[in-house]
Amino acid sequence: VTAARAVLLLSGGLDSTALLGLARPALALFVDYGQRPAAAEGRAAAAVASALSAELETVRVDLREIGAGLLRDDAPAPGSPSPEWWPYRNQLLVTAAAAVAVRRGLGEVLTATVASDGQRHADGTAEFYDALDAVLRIQEGAVRVRAPAIAMTSAELVTSSGVGDEVLGWTVSCHRGDLPCGSCPGCWKRDKVLLELGRMRPGDEP
Ligand SMILES: [Zn+2]
């Protein structure tokens, strides 16, 4: 997976950090869209980008007025498939990244979506990214979107990236706030993956 002309959406979590190490895109992009853990995610993104010698750009687009779920408050939108669901978030983030790609003369947006994301919300499926790619392709700019880890587990992505603990240690995944709450799907998934990989011992759990 190499992507010299790509913009990678970097949240500062395990998956996007691993893909940053694996794909070495031209640019990492952190989007502060008004999510509760934005400050922690932004610090994590800056730390991992620096550790992996990647250029990082940050953009702010406040989507709080149209958001929902754990990343906004504890109130789910009607029909939420999972407590963290923020309606249409991924297409909004890919659109922001595509706009940055056009400005920078880059041709591709990469997302670090993994297999389990598609079990939690439709905008984490291969079908969704294929459709979004088609929408981008018919527009000026000729930007493409790709989710190269969509068939992988987080553990497989982290392992194949070769990214070490000294970098993974900076990652944050909590949906609720700037310090890990320990009881949201983001916190659970990070712990589960690091335990599964033997990178964190059971006694290290918060
Ligand atoms: Zn949490």
Side-chain angles (χ1 to χ4, degrees):
V1 188
T2 53
R5 294 193 62 248
V7 179
L8 167 76
L9 280 164
L10 179 68
S11 71
L14 283 180
D15 298 336
S16 58
T17 295
L19 190 60
L20 179 63
L22 189 62
R24 299 280 165 184
L27 182 70
L29 179 69
F30 174 69
V31 182
D32 175 347
Y33 56 93
Q35 70 275 43
R36 285 197 288 189
E41 289 186 8
R43 283 193 294 271
V48 303
S50 169
L52 294 170
S53 302
E55 184 186 350
L56 177 71
E57 179 172 335
T58 295
V59 297
R60 285 174 191 82
V61 283
D62 191 346
L63 303 176
R64 276 176 295 182
E65 286 190 44
I66 55 171
L70 287 178
L71 286 151
R72 182 175 184 276
D73 51 32
D74 283 333
S80 281
S82 57
E84 73 275 18
W85 188 59
W86 182 300
Y88 309 105
R89 184 197 66 167
N90 287 354
Q91 71 202 71
L92 292 161
L93 295 184
V94 168
T95 301
V100 169
V102 165
R103 169 156 50 74
R104 294 270 190 146
L106 299 171
E108 191 172 49
V109 173
L110 292 183
T111 78
T113 307
V114 295
S116 59
D117 294 328
Q119 289 149 23
R120 302 190 64 84
H121 35 79
D123 59 359
T125 60
E127 181 187 19
F128 168 78
Y129 283 105
D130 287 347
L132 197 51
D133 183 52
V135 168
L136 287 175
R137 218 164 48 220
I138 60 172
Q139 297 174 83
E140 297 79 1
V143 176
R144 307 292 302 265
V145 60
R146 209 152 56 86
I150 197 124
M152 301 169 88
T153 65
S154 286
E156 287 167 347
L157 174 58
V158 169
T159 300
S160 65
S161 75
V163 171
D165 291 355
E166 74 286 1
V167 179
L168 296 181
W170 292 110
T171 61
V172 299
S173 302
C174 185
H175 297 326
R176 280 206 174 95
D178 289 327
L179 291 171
C181 73
S183 61
C184 76
C187 286
W188 293 329
K189 180 185 158 190
R190 182 175 186 276
D191 288 354
K192 182 175 166 287
V193 172
L194 292 175
L195 285 165
E196 184 182 335
L197 290 169
R199 308 284 280 260
M200 187 168 84
R201 296 183 310 278
D204 296 339
E205 281 177 284

